[in-house]
Amino acid sequence: MAKTVIIEAHGGPEVLKLTDREVGEPGPGQIRIRHHAVGLNFIDCYQRSGAYKMSLPHALGMEAAGVVEAVGEGVTHLKAGDRAAYAANPPGAYSEARVMPAATVCPLPDGISFEDAASVMLQGLTVNYLFRRTTPIAKGDTVLLHAAAGGVGLIGCQWAKSDRIRLIGTAGSDEKCRMAEDAGAEVCVNYRTEDFVARVKELTGDKGVPVVMDSVGKDTFDGSLQCLSPLGFMILFGAASGPVPPFDIQRLAAGGSLKLTRPTVFTHLADFDSCQTMAKELFDKMLSGDVKASIGQTFALEEVAEAHRALEARETTGSTILTL
């Protein structure tokens, strides 16, 4: 048996329920993993609230790190006793232990703690596909990254600095801007006190940037398009402020043959080789010191509702984890 957080109805943090569930043995292509730390992400809140519909009842949680207890037939990249981490579907990481598909679970080097791994898997692999797998970004290029002091943002600032990419960030306070700049942003704009479009134009000699990475959505979308240079690439990878309303696609032509994509990390992780390669690249960045985990908040598994409230109230910085 393992303590597991489930929802039986969509709603606020109060619907999160801690229960005991039987774990069982892994079948072909599966592993059983005992968690030491679990990461929290906005997608968990979307699934809990019903913004992303799920069949109910259902466990929650998309990323964790721990020790493999058993492997099923056909699993060759992991064995019992291995340290491992993952960001993966289906949800179920808010638990002491679980049986799950093995393909998206990755060997974890000894030099990375369970806590750090659990705090960076989903966000770090997201940063990987943003900088390595969506559109070519070369050393010396300039990118605009919104929410630069969040979990993805702080990793993105470090990643960009280590790859010698000029990063302009935005954040909602002077304190958060300092955090982004300390992490590697060349400059971070407080969008509550400054017009980020005007500031980006000023910083780029009125040229704009070739790439915008936007996880905020509705509140920043129009400004993000205005920040792009001709032939620029808009990567819309989240909607923290709400979904972008329908818009006239001719605006992309008027802006200078702009490009727009709405990717998800799980599309990239669905391929075994891609998933394992992305994780190795992330772990190499961490082992070299180029990327450091930033855990702002830690909660016990039993405090998961409180953790969700803090996340949704924007009271968190960096990553949030549950410990077991």
Side-chain angles (χ1 to χ4, degrees):
M1 304 295 288
K3 286 184 171 56
T4 303
V5 176
I6 66 168
I7 57 170
E8 297 176 324
H10 292 296
E14 69 279 357
V15 303
L16 295 165
K17 180 180 179 181
L18 187 64
T19 186
D20 286 320
R21 274 191 165 186
E22 186 173 350
V23 181
E25 296 297 323
Q30 294 182 326
I31 65 159
R32 186 174 72 238
I33 184 169
R34 184 155 297 274
H35 296 142
H36 287 238
V38 176
L40 270 72
N41 298 278
F42 265 104
I43 190 173
D44 306 345
C45 300
Y46 299 154
Q47 291 171 341
R48 186 213 70 226
S49 69
Y52 293 176
K53 296 297 183 183
M54 304 173 66
S55 60
L56 300 176
H58 210 298
L60 289 184
M62 309 295 287
E63 67 177 345
V67 175
V68 176
E69 289 189 329
V71 301
E73 181 183 352
V75 177
T76 59
H77 70 294
L78 294 166
K79 64 182 184 304
D82 282 353
R83 304 171 81 249
Y86 66 85
N89 272 315
Y94 291 2
S95 61
E96 293 177 325
R98 67 182 294 199
V99 168
M100 64 180 295
T104 49
V105 182
C106 307
L108 178 65
D110 290 338
I112 301 173
S113 71
F114 294 120
E115 292 78 14
D116 284 354
S119 76
V120 303
M121 287 301 289
L122 190 60
Q123 296 162 350
L125 295 173
T126 296
V127 169
N128 184 304
Y129 85 70
L130 289 174
F131 283 90
R132 295 276 176 90
R133 289 168 169 77
T134 305
T135 188
I137 302 174
K139 180 175 67 175
D141 284 349
T142 301
V143 303
L144 172 64
L145 175 64
H146 290 298
V152 168
L154 290 175
I155 297 171
C157 290
Q158 296 175 76
W159 194 291
K161 182 179 180 180
S162 69
D163 279 358
R164 299 182 184 178
I165 294 164
R166 183 191 186 203
L167 188 141
I168 300 171
T170 71
S173 71
D174 290 342
E175 179 185 4
K176 288 187 175 183
C177 283
R178 284 191 293 271
M179 291 174 60
E181 290 171 352
D182 289 345
E186 179 176 295
V187 62
C188 188
V189 182
N190 182 343
Y191 63 80
R192 297 190 189 280
T193 59
E194 288 189 83
D195 180 342
F196 74 82
V197 177
R199 189 77 171 103
V200 167
K201 292 297 181 68
E202 176 188 339
L203 291 165
T204 59
D206 208 38
K207 293 179 180 178
V209 296
V211 179
V212 175
M213 302 171 178
D214 189 337
S215 62
V216 178
K218 178 172 64 69
D219 290 352
T220 54
F221 182 76
D222 288 340
S224 292
L225 286 181
Q226 294 175 54
C227 287
L228 285 170
S229 57
L231 303 176
F233 202 114
M234 168 80 152
I235 307 173
L236 181 69
F237 67 102
S241 67
V244 175
F247 74 101
D248 183 359
I249 198 169
Q250 285 299 117
R251 290 176 57 191
L252 301 181
S257 300
L258 305 179
K259 299 176 283 289
L260 169 66
T261 186
R262 178 57 176 92
T264 71
V265 67
F266 295 112
T267 306
H268 293 273
L269 300 182
D271 176 78
F272 174 80
D273 290 335
S274 177
C275 174
Q276 300 297 321
T277 298
M278 288 171 68
K280 185 180 184 305
E281 291 174 354
L282 173 61
F283 295 152
D284 286 347
K285 288 276 190 188
M286 296 176 72
L287 290 170
S288 70
D290 287 335
V291 168
K292 297 179 175 66
S294 177
I295 301 172
Q297 305 74 216
T298 300
F299 296 86
L301 184 64
E302 294 78 8
E303 300 172 319
V304 63
E306 182 182 343
H308 270 234
R309 291 188 187 98
L311 198 62
E312 290 183 297
R314 312 273 177 183
E315 295 172 353
T316 65
T317 56
S319 299
T320 302
I321 63 169
L322 304 173
T323 55
L324 296 98

